[in-house]
Amino acid sequence: MFILIGISADFDPVHKGHEKLISEARKLADEENKKVVVYLNKGFSANHAPFFTNFEARREMALALGADEVRSFEGLHHRLVLSYSVPIRLKQMIDDGVTDYITSASITLDEIKSKAQKFIDEGNFVGMPKSYTNRNEIRWYAINEFLGSKVKYHVVKEFNKEKYSGRLIRQSLIDNDMEITGEVKKLLPKTTVEILEREIEAGRVPGERNWNDIYKRMNTYSRGNLEKIAYLNGNTINEIIKRRVYRDPESIWAVFRRSDYGPVMTRLAISAIEMEVTKKEVMELMKSYESQGVIPDNQKVQRVIDRAWYVASEGEKGVSAREANDKFRSQNISVNPPLSLEAGLNLTKFETKITKEGLKTDLYVDKNGKISVQFKSEGKKIKTNLRLPAVEVTYLRYIMDSHFIPVDGSIKKAKKGFKVNIAIG
């Protein structure tokens, strides 16, 4: 059996706040004859960025401070937001035999419990308010309780976050040409300093994104291909097309700011572009964990589709999207949304002549905000807007902007000409 520590920290790098966390876990472990196991994110951080310090170095830092073992979470944070990755990570811990979870926070366990209760009652962990102090710790507690886990939650008083901050430590290193200043050394355990200096000397710090692949995809992919990538919506894709060419990270950050993406969603979207994560890949990953009972009902893929149909249908009655969305979330509303649609095409006579049944199509939102389709036939690229009833247009647009639900199209012969058969999810 294990005690799990440090889940809410990436340990990038391990500072004295983390050392205190490990020390408190060590005391508890020795009292109860258990092991201290640190779970570190690998590949991408919980904030969807590449790590400054690689996994092996962070693992070594944690072991040097008294952890018995270090395990990894892999393949999650370039694919999923925290409200989905936390239940998955918690499931892994429970399956490993974890009995206790210890984390640091500036608020008490009672305060965490109080803030978490609303989300436990609703069974929905998306959109936790940014105003919440230690909202990640609140999310972990809420999901642990909601899933009926017996993992016991422990809170250690957090060190001054304005001082003991991995982000500020990393920024100091960058600003000082990778020199560890005297002030920063005061924040780090001696073993961390030694390992970090070795990693810097070897050129393994800092870790970086593959910007060349990101530039290539953002500069060359069509709207249809960008639409397949997770966490990109129609407006953002049009901004990406409009602002080409990209040659530096700031130009990429700027286009996401114009699309009203916050820093966290920007990092996730850039990571999805870098790793070429598709909506289909994310949806299938979510469904695989749904089948294991890990994902709360209100966050399941079908529930997202249900909400899109309900909000679109209510919009036809004059109900605002916000009002319909709030009603759907707060009440146990059941709907039966269509998972396939048939859309008309606006083809020229020549395009109709060369179009064939069964051709695969890419859906996208054009520069005027209209849902469109493109496909190739006999070497010719054909693009046209779709013809759908208003409620289906709204529904389909919500689905296409959902970040992780794919839509596929194929040409179908109609009585007069052709249509597109659209499959949702």
Side-chain angles (χ1 to χ4, degrees):
M1 304 300 282
F2 304 111
I3 288 177
L4 173 71
I5 73 167
I7 276 297
S8 62
D10 282 315
F11 283 26
D12 190 25
V14 175
H15 55 61
K16 288 186 176 178
H18 302 137
E19 181 180 33
K20 173 69 172 175
L21 193 59
I22 294 174
S23 173
E24 291 299 315
R26 180 79 271 158
K27 290 177 188 176
L28 188 58
D30 291 344
E31 287 174 6
E32 300 187 8
N33 194 29
K34 296 180 180 180
K35 288 184 178 181
V36 174
V37 180
V38 174
Y39 283 74
L40 295 179
N41 293 315
K42 190 174 183 180
F44 288 80
S45 73
N47 284 321
H48 318 298
F51 280 104
F52 190 82
T53 314
N54 67 49
F55 175 80
E56 290 303 326
R58 290 180 290 122
R59 175 181 179 276
E60 191 178 345
M61 291 172 186
L63 291 172
L65 295 177
D68 293 307
E69 188 178 343
V70 173
R71 299 188 177 194
S72 65
F73 292 128
E74 299 184 51
L76 297 177
H77 295 115
H78 60 293
R79 293 186 174 103
L80 299 171
V81 295
L82 282 174
S83 52
Y84 285 88
S85 71
V86 171
I88 294 168
R89 287 182 281 166
L90 184 55
K91 173 69 160 54
Q92 182 177 329
M93 294 187 297
I94 294 168
D95 289 348
D96 283 353
V98 169
T99 59
D100 297 76
Y101 169 88
I102 184 166
T103 189
S104 59
S106 60
I107 59 177
T108 66
L109 180 55
D110 284 342
E111 290 174 294
I112 288 174
K113 289 179 179 179
S114 176
K115 289 267 197 299
Q117 195 57 52
K118 172 179 179 290
F119 302 95
I120 296 168
D121 293 341
E122 291 179 359
N124 187 15
F125 308 98
V126 178
M128 192 163 288
K130 292 180 180 179
S131 59
Y132 277 14
T133 303
N134 297 121
R135 61 181 175 152
N136 195 38
E137 286 70 29
I138 295 167
R139 182 183 287 112
W140 273 91
Y141 178 85
I143 291 174
N144 185 58
E145 292 296 305
F146 178 78
L147 295 179
S149 164
K150 294 181 180 179
V151 172
K152 191 175 179 183
Y153 207 94
H154 305 266
V155 175
V156 174
K157 183 66 177 176
E158 188 175 60
F159 278 26
N160 182 353
K161 220 169 188 178
E162 296 301 314
K163 185 177 179 182
Y164 292 90
S165 160
R167 180 180 59 81
L168 295 179
I169 291 168
R170 295 190 295 271
Q171 192 61 54
S172 173
L173 287 166
I174 292 168
D175 293 344
N176 290 282
D177 298 320
M178 301 310 293
E179 286 288 328
I180 307 176
T181 66
E183 284 301 307
V184 167
K185 283 184 178 180
K186 293 177 184 177
L187 307 176
L188 305 175
K190 182 182 176 182
T191 49
T192 292
V193 173
E194 292 170 353
I195 295 166
L196 198 52
E197 286 178 336
R198 182 197 71 203
E199 293 297 302
I200 292 169
E201 179 67 24
R204 290 189 286 266
V205 176
E208 295 183 350
R209 291 188 181 278
N210 185 342
W211 287 109
N212 287 336
D213 280 357
I214 296 168
Y215 298 146
K216 181 180 178 180
R217 287 166 190 148
M218 290 185 67
N219 284 329
T220 63
Y221 276 19
S222 67
R223 285 181 174 85
N225 284 332
L226 287 171
E227 175 62 40
K228 292 183 176 70
I229 294 178
Y231 305 105
L232 299 183
N233 61 34
N235 290 337
T236 304
I237 290 167
N238 280 315
E239 282 292 331
I240 289 172
I241 300 288
K242 181 180 177 182
R243 306 290 174 178
R244 287 171 171 172
V245 176
Y246 301 98
R247 298 189 181 92
D248 57 80
E250 178 51 38
S251 63
I252 291 175
W253 275 84
V255 80
F256 283 102
R257 283 198 298 271
R258 291 189 186 98
S259 303
D260 295 324
Y261 278 47
V264 174
M265 280 304 299
T266 296
R267 288 192 293 269
L268 180 54
I270 294 173
S271 296
I273 294 169
E274 179 180 359
M275 303 303 291
E276 213 160 9
V277 178
T278 64
K279 292 177 179 176
K280 182 178 180 181
E281 178 184 345
V282 173
M283 183 191 71
E284 289 179 346
L285 180 64
M286 288 178 176
K287 285 189 171 183
S288 73
Y289 282 103
E290 284 179 14
S291 67
Q292 299 175 44
V294 175
I295 306 300
D297 286 345
N298 282 334
Q299 292 176 208
K300 289 181 177 179
V301 172
Q302 185 59 52
R303 199 63 178 157
V304 176
I305 295 172
D306 290 349
R307 184 169 67 247
W309 178 250
Y310 178 76
V311 174
S313 300
E314 290 297 289
E316 285 291 284
K317 304 171 188 175
V319 179
S320 72
R322 179 186 290 274
E323 184 181 346
N325 189 56
D326 288 345
K327 186 176 178 182
F328 185 86
R329 285 181 180 278
S330 62
Q331 300 179 24
N332 188 25
I333 292 173
S334 178
V335 293
N336 187 29
L339 297 181
S340 65
L341 303 172
E342 280 192 2
L345 298 171
N346 295 306
L347 300 175
T348 65
K349 287 184 179 180
F350 172 73
E351 289 171 342
T352 301
K353 186 177 180 180
I354 64 171
T355 297
K356 297 178 177 64
E357 187 169 48
L359 290 173
K360 298 298 181 184
T361 68
D362 290 333
L363 275 73
Y364 65 95
V365 178
D366 74 6
K367 63 182 179 181
N368 298 314
K370 293 184 177 180
I371 300 176
S372 305
V373 69
Q374 68 177 32
F375 58 96
K376 282 186 178 179
S377 184
E378 297 187 9
K380 302 292 184 181
K381 184 183 286 186
I382 298 172
K383 295 182 178 182
T384 180
N385 297 142
L386 297 182
R387 297 199 309 270
L388 286 162
V391 66
E392 292 184 6
V393 169
T394 306
Y395 169 53
L396 185 55
R397 183 62 190 270
Y398 284 146
I399 293 295
M400 292 175 72
D401 287 347
S402 69
H403 288 162
F404 57 79
I405 297 175
V407 292
D408 295 300
S410 61
I411 298 296
K412 178 183 179 180
K413 193 80 173 72
K415 288 183 179 179
K416 292 184 178 180
F418 295 90
K419 290 186 176 183
V420 173
N421 187 57
I422 301 166
I424 294 169

